[in-house]
Amino acid sequence: MAEKKKKEALSTEEKIITAARKLFMQKGYDATKTRDIAKEAGINLALLNYYFRSKEKLFELVMEENMGQFMMVIGNIVNNEETSMEQKIESLVANYIDMLTRVPDMPLFVMTHMKNNPQRLKMRERFLGSHFMKQVQEGIKKGEITPINPVNIMINIVGLTIFPFIGRPMIQNNNGITTEQFNALMQERKKLIPKWIGAILKAK
Amino acid sequence: MAEKKKKEALSTEEKIITAARKLFMQKGYDATKTRDIAKEAGINLALLNYYFRSKEKLFELVMEENMGQFMMVIGNIVNNEETSMEQKIESLVANYIDMLTRVPDMPLFVMTHMKNNPQRLKMRERFLGSHFMKQVQEGIKKGEITPINPVNIMINIVGLTIFPFIGRPMIQNNNGITTEQFNALMQERKKLIPKWIGAILKAK
DNA sequence: GTCTATAATTCGATAGAC
DNA sequence: GTCTATCGAATTATAGAC
């Protein structure tokens, strides 16, 4: 019974969302036409409005889903009181790289949307007030970590992890590497980034 | 005579390009309407086609200008045979941060465009085959630098430098900091990033 | 629920007067 | 060179049959 895997088991509603998610991420809101979505979903144009009222409503749905996914990873990891600072960094980096390898267009999509639709993501509480940050502050007190602006830690971890996916066209086209090679490089970075962050935190 | 500074001294052609540059960077190609550009330039819609034939031609003009600016910085610095590796990194980071502080929307604009319009930027020759990279290879031979994939060096320098501008909405909105504070943070990073890159290159 | 046909609007581009 | 007016295509959304 519970065979969610079957592609043909998708309801019309799900087919439309799946198509919309794909096209919106690939080409952006304005470049994606409702006709494209209908065609990609294999349904009629009118059904799109029947289920979702408008293109914008459909977009908002896809967008919320993405923002949630993009941010969800952080919370659980960063406030786990049973892991070390190093373990948290490893986990953060690995989780993001795994997710972005599946949906590589997500970061550019999310960043573009946030640029024109600023919204609080409660990252202040999630990240700056997290157990992870307390561990960093402790490390600084003990002299194990060079004093650093918490915002810079966030920028560096997130930047080193997700920037490659944003700059992927630049990276791939100019180094003549395939998608497989790119993905392999990201897998390597899973181990390297935590090491590098460690070095950054100790740099004088 | 030569008073290019005067705002009112702009020709109609220049007024259109200036408006187009602003709006294309702000909202992207599809979301920018020719009517918006005309209004922003303070001229009539018909003049846009009179001077530039089509919206697409106008976009290509603005785009080439941007790509050139975005890439220009690299070449000269990275192949200067009279500077040390450390000096090159400092110079690269400082130049990009200064440029992006003036036009903070540029990176997202360029990355979005490259995603759908892959093009060779000759960065392979510019960066991977540069004097800078030869200095890195030497450092590795001498044991002063931990062996590292050249592509990762590029990703890390570029990522740490320009990612903050791509993720600016996220960074600003979630830490409650103003644009002035953001810019000050970027100025600090001018000194910090070279130090961090140094630490990364020595991390074992 | 799903389709065809079409209404209503927007947008890029052009014609033609000045 | 610059403007007003408008064309024609594309696009979102809806009406109405099945």
Side-chain angles (χ1 to χ4, degrees):
Chain A
M1 285 288 182
E3 42 186 342
K4 264 194 178 178
K5 310 149 196 171
K6 285 273 184 182
K7 282 186 180 179
E8 296 310 315
L10 289 178
S11 71
T12 300
E13 204 173 342
E14 288 167 329
K15 279 194 277 188
I16 297 174
I17 290 200
T18 303
R21 181 168 38 224
K22 175 179 170 184
L23 292 178
F24 279 139
M25 283 215 292
Q26 212 167 78
K27 314 200 295 179
Y29 180 79
D30 291 281
T32 299
K33 308 304 175 186
T34 51
R35 280 173 172 76
D36 301 340
I37 298 176
K39 193 176 176 185
E40 173 78 26
I43 53 95
N44 189 274
L45 174 58
L47 281 179
L48 193 147
N49 293 81
Y50 174 77
Y51 280 104
F52 301 97
R53 221 176 75 88
S54 74
K55 177 185 176 182
E56 201 178 337
K57 291 278 181 199
L58 178 55
F59 179 79
E60 283 169 17
L61 209 72
V62 171
M63 199 62 230
E64 264 181 53
E65 180 192 81
N66 269 281
M67 297 292 282
Q69 211 180 338
F70 190 78
M71 290 297 150
M72 187 171 8
V73 187
I74 296 183
N76 302 332
I77 296 171
V78 114
N79 278 314
N80 185 341
E81 308 222 347
E82 295 178 2
T83 55
S84 68
M85 189 188 76
E86 289 78 8
Q87 286 171 325
K88 287 188 181 66
I89 295 174
E90 275 174 37
S91 182
L92 265 179
V93 172
N95 273 279
Y96 266 106
I97 288 182
D98 283 341
M99 180 180 77
L100 298 182
T101 299
R102 286 194 300 274
V103 273
D105 289 340
M106 193 196 279
L108 200 55
F109 181 61
V110 169
M111 293 300 154
T112 300
H113 183 254
M114 287 190 66
K115 175 171 171 293
N116 300 316
N117 303 76
Q119 46 195 282
R120 311 215 126 271
L121 293 175
K122 294 169 187 163
M123 192 181 275
R124 191 197 193 87
E125 300 84 58
R126 286 193 197 195
F127 196 83
L128 295 183
S130 66
H131 186 248
F132 171 74
M133 271 304 166
K134 287 187 186 110
Q135 289 175 313
V136 173
Q137 301 298 351
E138 263 183 54
I140 294 177
K141 261 185 198 165
K142 290 182 185 171
E144 297 166 359
I145 293 176
T146 306
I148 183 173
N149 184 336
V151 179
N152 274 330
I153 297 186
M154 183 189 81
I155 295 177
N156 293 348
I157 295 178
V158 178
L160 286 175
T161 305
I162 84 173
F163 173 76
F165 293 91
I166 293 172
R168 191 171 63 141
M170 185 180 77
I171 296 165
Q172 265 186 249
N173 293 327
N174 293 290
N175 298 294
I177 61 180
T178 66
T179 299
E180 287 72 27
Q181 289 173 317
F182 177 85
N183 287 338
L185 189 64
M186 293 307 110
Q187 289 303 315
E188 288 177 33
R189 287 177 69 90
K190 269 196 201 170
K191 298 172 198 160
L192 293 170
I193 292 173
K195 186 182 79 171
W196 293 333
I197 295 290
I200 285 176
L201 291 176
K202 286 180 185 65
K204 292 195 195 299
Chain B
M1 286 287 184
E3 41 185 343
K4 266 192 178 178
K5 311 147 198 172
K6 285 272 185 184
K7 280 186 182 181
E8 296 309 316
L10 289 178
S11 70
T12 300
E13 205 175 339
E14 288 168 330
K15 278 194 278 188
I16 297 174
I17 290 199
T18 302
R21 181 168 37 224
K22 175 179 171 184
L23 292 179
F24 279 138
M25 284 215 290
Q26 211 166 78
K27 314 200 294 177
Y29 180 79
D30 291 284
T32 299
K33 308 304 175 188
T34 51
R35 282 171 172 77
D36 301 339
I37 299 175
K39 193 176 177 184
E40 172 77 27
I43 53 94
N44 190 274
L45 174 59
L47 280 179
L48 193 149
N49 294 81
Y50 174 77
Y51 279 105
F52 300 98
R53 221 177 74 91
S54 74
K55 178 186 177 182
E56 201 178 336
K57 290 280 179 196
L58 178 56
F59 179 79
E60 283 171 17
L61 210 72
V62 171
M63 199 61 230
E64 265 181 53
E65 181 191 79
N66 269 280
M67 296 294 281
Q69 212 181 337
F70 190 78
M71 289 297 150
M72 188 168 10
V73 188
I74 296 183
N76 302 331
I77 296 172
V78 116
N79 278 314
N80 185 341
E81 308 222 346
E82 295 179 359
T83 54
S84 69
M85 189 189 76
E86 288 79 8
Q87 286 171 324
K88 286 188 181 64
I89 295 174
E90 278 175 35
S91 183
L92 265 181
V93 172
N95 271 280
Y96 266 105
I97 288 182
D98 283 342
M99 180 180 76
L100 297 183
T101 299
R102 286 194 300 273
V103 273
D105 289 340
M106 193 195 281
L108 199 56
F109 180 60
V110 169
M111 294 300 155
T112 300
H113 182 253
M114 286 190 65
K115 174 169 170 296
N116 300 315
N117 303 75
Q119 47 196 281
R120 312 214 126 273
L121 292 175
K122 294 171 188 164
M123 193 180 274
R124 192 195 191 86
E125 300 84 57
R126 285 193 199 196
F127 197 84
L128 295 184
S130 66
H131 185 248
F132 171 74
M133 270 305 164
K134 290 191 184 103
Q135 290 174 313
V136 173
Q137 300 299 350
E138 262 183 56
I140 294 178
K141 262 186 198 166
K142 289 182 185 170
E144 297 164 1
I145 295 176
T146 306
I148 183 173
N149 184 335
V151 178
N152 274 330
I153 298 186
M154 184 188 79
I155 295 177
N156 293 348
I157 296 178
V158 179
L160 287 175
T161 305
I162 85 173
F163 173 77
F165 292 91
I166 293 172
R168 192 170 63 142
M170 184 181 77
I171 296 165
Q172 265 186 250
N173 293 328
N174 292 292
N175 297 294
I177 61 180
T178 65
T179 299
E180 286 72 29
Q181 288 172 317
F182 176 85
N183 287 339
L185 189 65
M186 293 307 110
Q187 289 303 316
E188 287 177 34
R189 286 177 70 88
K190 269 196 202 173
K191 297 171 199 162
L192 294 170
I193 293 173
K195 185 182 80 172
W196 293 334
I197 295 290
I200 285 176
L201 291 177
K202 286 180 184 61
K204 292 193 196 299

